[in-house]
Amino acid sequence: MTALLCGSFEDTERDEWLQALRQAAPEVDWVLQPSPQVEVAVVANPPPGLLQGLPRLKLIQSLWAGVDRLLADPTLPAGVPVARMVDPAMSRAMAETALWAVLSLHRGFFAYARQQAQARWQPLPQRRADELHVLVLGLGAMGRAVAQALRAQGYAVTGWRREPGAAAIDDGVQQAHGDEALPRLLAQADVVLNLLPLTPDTHGLVDRRFLAAMRPGASLVNLARGAHVVDEDLLAALDAGQLAHAVLDVFHTEPLPPDHRYWQHPRVTVLPHVAALTDPRSAAQVVAQNLRALAAGLPLQHLVRRERGY
Amino acid sequence: MTALLCGSFEDTERDEWLQALRQAAPEVDWVLQPSPQVEVAVVANPPPGLLQGLPRLKLIQSLWAGVDRLLADPTLPAGVPVARMVDPAMSRAMAETALWAVLSLHRGFFAYARQQAQARWQPLPQRRADELHVLVLGLGAMGRAVAQALRAQGYAVTGWRREPGAAAIDDGVQQAHGDEALPRLLAQADVVLNLLPLTPDTHGLVDRRFLAAMRPGASLVNLARGAHVVDEDLLAALDAGQLAHAVLDVFHTEPLPPDHRYWQHPRVTVLPHVAALTDPRSAAQVVAQNLRALAAGLPLQHLVRRERGY
């Protein structure tokens, strides 16, 4: 089997991936240039158009969890299955970032950092974890891992998803679904943590109405996609004091332009899209499993439903 | 039974304590002024000399976990038992702070905050939790809670204490004891987290020698007492790059003086002694239990061995 690795990598990064993939799937012929032999494309932000004209292509395997950008390429071959990266190591990394953000908000560590800049010594009230309500939007592999990690730490956690059906999560996590349930949940939450996939339905979800429905003084953590958020509306809510803080890992334009207001806003924490980096060591194993399933004619894992967008 | 509540409280804080104590132990006559009837003194940094001349005093119950300042008062009545505050809610709060500090160091969140101040977008390498070695100094109630919380999050945790004997902790936490073991442990740890009691033996423990024994680029988290650390030595180690970062909750002088170098140091995170505030709601229950034990002639809990200093 010939597999093409392609993406917008730096050289060292591409070499690291190639080495990990060769180690995980030594039976595969790994190549870096398109050719008619290619049966699988393992991709990370591939240049648009690159996957056209591969007559034997049977699987497009993303190395990233989010496939919104990949699916937006109109030249993406229509009949070829697309698989997302679902890697337990990545979910753990995401849960670490979510836990750090919630602990920071819960225990006032962003506020203490602002006080430090002014050499100001001022203890703030301390709440118990079970007094803090966290609403996790999105109950995919990462949303579930995050909800469970927060619950294990004692927080009052509710998980929400757009579509009906209960996700397989620890009993201690409340579950809700559907657009109608959202305003009530937003009004209760101290922290709203976004892990939704980016689809036409969730694009711009965090807008003026959404933010106005949040409990005054609550905080937003966006670890999903920048396009979930209407930036002007979020900045207005922060400036008005409706929101206490925003932790943002993702942006409409990445890298975030140097003159963007988020960088200097005292109530915004900017991360450079690092909430959960794909770790080549574990992700290559996930890829290898799917390639073996393909070779054996077994069902493929983590297939994207293109009409749904994730 | 008459119990005296005394300490260096602000008025609202004292009222909150009094209300919580009256609720937890309504059978006790709670007073705010010394009198010959007082059998128990419930104290939080009481003015030196205040506990002299209480003829019926049978127990001094601290509301704080650390009793170094209390024991340093030469007028403290010699024959009266002293009990520390050991409150599971406080241990949980301490574990939250420790987890936040370790997550911040592990995942580069202090570095990202520095980058944000420069509008700099630069992802940093991401390690797995099990690749980070955390050394917890002190295995009392709080050290154990911290070690277990870090272990549950996947970190490679070693707990150390000065005296021999194994603490009752989860098997996943390595244990070591004694001064001889320390240099080897310091050389392995990415994060050294101090939760030792302050005694003549641990005063100034974190000095030039200690810091030089640490792995280059490691970080220090001090959640115990400021006097554990020799400030000039720590600043020198940070300035030389021997240490990557220090998270400090406690200081020789508190509040930390406005002109202290720690406030402005880019590699120091200053917290205003808030790692684990005593929560009157739960701590009052702990006090009530000890008062009932005293009234019933049962063994008292959490007694301090004065010769040991904790």
Side-chain angles (χ1 to χ4, degrees):
Chain A
M1 181 187 289
T2 300
L4 168 69
L5 171 65
C6 65
S8 42
F9 295 120
E10 292 180 27
D11 287 357
T12 55
E13 206 185 353
R14 193 196 50 217
D15 293 349
E16 196 185 353
W17 274 109
L18 196 58
Q19 194 189 344
L21 289 164
R22 282 192 168 134
Q23 208 159 7
E27 73 278 16
V28 171
D29 183 19
W30 290 97
V31 299
L32 294 171
Q33 297 299 331
S35 82
Q37 280 71 44
V38 167
E39 288 176 76
V40 177
V42 175
V43 303
N45 289 346
L50 189 95
L51 302 179
Q52 283 181 301
L54 298 173
R56 298 197 192 170
L57 193 63
K58 294 193 182 81
L59 171 63
I60 299 167
Q61 168 71 56
S62 173
L63 291 177
W64 300 167
V67 290
D68 44 289
R69 208 162 132 181
L70 184 65
L71 298 184
D73 176 1
T75 72
L76 196 72
V80 180
V82 175
R84 300 167 56 231
M85 176 52 58
V86 177
D87 176 359
M90 215 171 154
S91 298
R92 275 195 294 275
M94 188 61 90
E96 289 168 358
T97 301
L99 189 52
W100 163 81
V102 172
L103 282 167
S104 299
L105 293 164
H106 164 212
R107 296 295 306 277
F109 295 122
F110 294 127
Y112 290 131
R114 284 196 299 272
Q115 291 184 186
Q116 178 175 354
Q118 305 166 356
R120 184 152 174 256
W121 180 279
Q122 180 59 60
L124 301 170
Q126 176 186 296
R127 281 186 290 176
R128 292 194 312 257
D130 64 293
E131 296 173 303
L132 204 89
H133 286 74
V134 184
L135 175 62
V136 177
L137 304 180
L139 291 174
M142 292 208 250
R144 292 197 303 275
V146 163
Q148 296 196 158
L150 292 171
R151 179 63 204 145
Q153 202 56 35
Y155 293 106
V157 182
T158 302
W160 176 86
R161 57 184 196 178
R162 292 194 74 252
E163 304 198 353
I169 319 189
D170 177 305
D171 284 349
V173 176
Q174 304 275 327
Q175 290 195 52
H177 63 83
D179 290 338
E180 310 73 46
L182 205 46
R184 178 181 55 83
L185 299 175
L186 290 174
Q188 289 168 349
D190 298 289
V191 179
V192 176
L193 205 152
N194 179 33
L195 281 166
L196 288 166
L198 182 63
T199 69
D201 285 327
T202 65
H203 195 283
L205 178 75
V206 183
D207 62 2
R208 203 155 52 107
R209 248 180 81 194
F210 180 105
L211 293 161
M214 283 174 68
R215 174 188 282 197
S219 295
L220 176 75
V221 180
N222 187 16
L223 307 180
R225 281 292 181 260
H228 284 126
V229 174
V230 180
D231 288 344
E232 310 82 76
D233 293 354
L234 176 56
L235 284 163
L238 288 162
D239 289 341
Q242 160 65 7
L243 246 66
H245 202 92
V247 178
L248 305 175
D249 184 52
V250 287
F251 305 91
H252 283 267
T253 305
E254 297 182 4
L256 184 66
D259 59 348
H260 199 287
R261 274 194 65 201
Y262 283 150
W263 282 116
Q264 307 299 340
H265 201 291
R267 307 250 163 203
V268 174
T269 297
V270 172
L271 300 176
H273 203 144
V274 291
L277 302 178
T278 312
D279 185 330
R281 295 170 295 183
S282 52
Q285 302 292 339
V286 176
V287 173
Q289 277 179 23
N290 241 4
L291 299 202
R292 280 178 201 134
L294 180 68
L298 295 170
L300 297 171
Q301 297 296 306
H302 317 308
L303 288 182
V304 170
R305 283 160 55 189
R306 289 209 198 180
E307 76 288 0
R308 195 177 63 165
Y310 64 96
Chain B
M1 181 187 290
T2 300
L4 169 69
L5 171 64
C6 66
S8 41
F9 296 121
E10 292 180 25
D11 287 357
T12 55
E13 204 183 354
R14 192 197 49 216
D15 293 348
E16 195 184 355
W17 275 108
L18 196 58
Q19 194 190 344
L21 290 164
R22 282 194 169 133
Q23 208 159 7
E27 74 278 16
V28 170
D29 183 19
W30 290 97
V31 299
L32 294 170
Q33 297 299 330
S35 81
Q37 280 71 43
V38 168
E39 289 175 74
V40 178
V42 176
V43 302
N45 289 347
L50 189 96
L51 301 179
Q52 282 181 301
L54 297 173
R56 297 195 192 171
L57 194 63
K58 293 193 183 80
L59 171 63
I60 298 167
Q61 169 71 56
S62 173
L63 292 177
W64 301 166
V67 291
D68 44 289
R69 209 162 133 181
L70 184 65
L71 298 185
D73 177 0
T75 72
L76 196 72
V80 180
V82 174
R84 299 166 58 228
M85 176 52 58
V86 177
D87 176 359
M90 215 171 155
S91 298
R92 276 195 293 275
M94 188 60 91
E96 288 167 359
T97 302
L99 189 52
W100 163 81
V102 171
L103 282 166
S104 300
L105 294 164
H106 164 211
R107 295 295 306 278
F109 295 122
F110 295 127
Y112 290 131
R114 284 195 299 273
Q115 290 184 186
Q116 179 175 354
Q118 304 167 356
R120 185 154 173 254
W121 180 280
Q122 180 59 59
L124 301 171
Q126 176 186 295
R127 282 187 289 176
R128 291 194 313 258
D130 64 295
E131 296 174 303
L132 204 88
H133 286 74
V134 184
L135 175 61
V136 177
L137 305 180
L139 291 174
M142 293 209 248
R144 293 197 302 274
V146 163
Q148 295 196 159
L150 293 171
R151 179 63 204 144
Q153 203 55 35
Y155 293 106
V157 182
T158 303
W160 175 86
R161 57 184 196 179
R162 293 193 74 252
E163 303 198 353
I169 320 188
D170 178 306
D171 283 350
V173 177
Q174 304 276 326
Q175 289 195 51
H177 63 83
D179 290 338
E180 312 72 46
L182 205 46
R184 179 181 54 82
L185 300 175
L186 290 174
Q188 290 169 349
D190 298 289
V191 179
V192 176
L193 206 152
N194 179 32
L195 281 166
L196 287 166
L198 182 62
T199 69
D201 285 327
T202 64
H203 196 283
L205 178 75
V206 183
D207 62 1
R208 202 155 52 107
R209 250 180 80 195
F210 180 106
L211 294 161
M214 283 174 68
R215 173 188 282 196
S219 295
L220 176 74
V221 180
N222 187 16
L223 307 180
R225 282 290 182 260
H228 283 125
V229 174
V230 180
D231 287 344
E232 310 83 74
D233 292 356
L234 175 57
L235 284 163
L238 288 162
D239 290 341
Q242 161 65 6
L243 246 67
H245 201 92
V247 178
L248 306 176
D249 185 52
V250 286
F251 304 91
H252 282 267
T253 305
E254 296 181 5
L256 185 65
D259 59 348
H260 199 287
R261 274 194 65 201
Y262 283 149
W263 283 117
Q264 306 299 340
H265 201 291
R267 306 248 163 204
V268 175
T269 297
V270 172
L271 300 175
H273 202 144
V274 292
L277 301 179
T278 311
D279 185 331
R281 296 170 295 184
S282 52
Q285 302 292 338
V286 176
V287 172
Q289 277 177 24
N290 241 4
L291 298 201
R292 279 177 203 136
L294 181 68
L298 295 169
L300 298 171
Q301 297 298 306
H302 316 307
L303 288 181
V304 170
R305 281 160 55 189
R306 289 209 197 180
E307 76 288 359
R308 195 177 64 166
Y310 64 97

